[in-house]
Amino acid sequence: PEDCGVFHCRGCWTVLGDSLQLCGQEPPGLSVFICFKVTSDVTWEDSLLVGLEGALLGCTYYLLSCRSCGLAVGFILYSSGGNLAYLRGLFCFFKDSIICYLLKKQMIIEASKVNFPAVTLKE
């Protein structure tokens, strides 16, 4: 497909996921890719964290890390207000923690500069 990309850890270039698993649009205030699935190189602990500021204020979530280098690469939202409810249980990659490799163009690009086709979750 034309617009396929692979998501790599910014710290060590480990493959974390790909654009075929994208399943939602980035919410206001969060710079993330939202995915259904990730690779086995993405890990998270059983302990919940609480958002103390920004878009995740008052939310609880599991922090996602790269298995290879330990870099925090995103989160899985556990509980939130209604505006972020659609993200619960999904994998959210921080755009500033990953690099994208675009398959067709064979180039590496900052995740914040990539525009994948719009994907929406059905209610």
Side-chain angles (χ1 to χ4, degrees):
E2 293 252 339
D3 298 314
C4 285
V6 177
F7 306 143
H8 293 266
C9 172
R10 180 180 290 280
C12 67
W13 292 88
T14 296
V15 174
L16 304 174
D18 62 58
S19 62
L20 295 175
Q21 303 305 320
L22 289 173
C23 63
Q25 294 303 304
E26 174 179 326
L30 283 173
S31 183
V32 294
F33 285 133
I34 304 161
C35 299
F36 275 121
K37 293 181 186 177
V38 296
T39 70
S40 61
D41 288 310
V42 177
T43 63
W44 59 94
E45 294 190 18
D46 289 335
S47 57
L48 286 167
L49 300 175
V50 177
L52 300 176
E53 61 185 17
L56 294 178
L57 176 66
C59 297
T60 56
Y61 59 92
Y62 299 102
L63 189 65
L64 299 176
S65 300
C66 172
R67 182 183 306 276
S68 297
C69 72
L71 180 70
V73 294
F75 63 91
I76 301 171
L77 197 60
Y78 180 77
S79 69
S80 68
N83 62 327
L84 296 177
Y86 70 100
L87 292 179
R88 292 181 198 150
L90 298 173
F91 299 93
C92 299
F93 285 128
F94 300 131
K95 287 185 178 181
D96 61 356
S97 296
I98 61 173
I99 297 287
C100 293
Y101 177 75
L102 301 179
L103 298 175
K104 180 148 184 157
K105 295 180 182 177
Q106 296 182 351
M107 64 184 283
I108 296 164
I109 188 166
E110 292 287 328
S112 60
K113 296 180 180 174
V114 178
N115 289 317
F116 290 107
V119 181
T120 57
L121 289 172
K122 299 198 187 272
E123 292 187 20

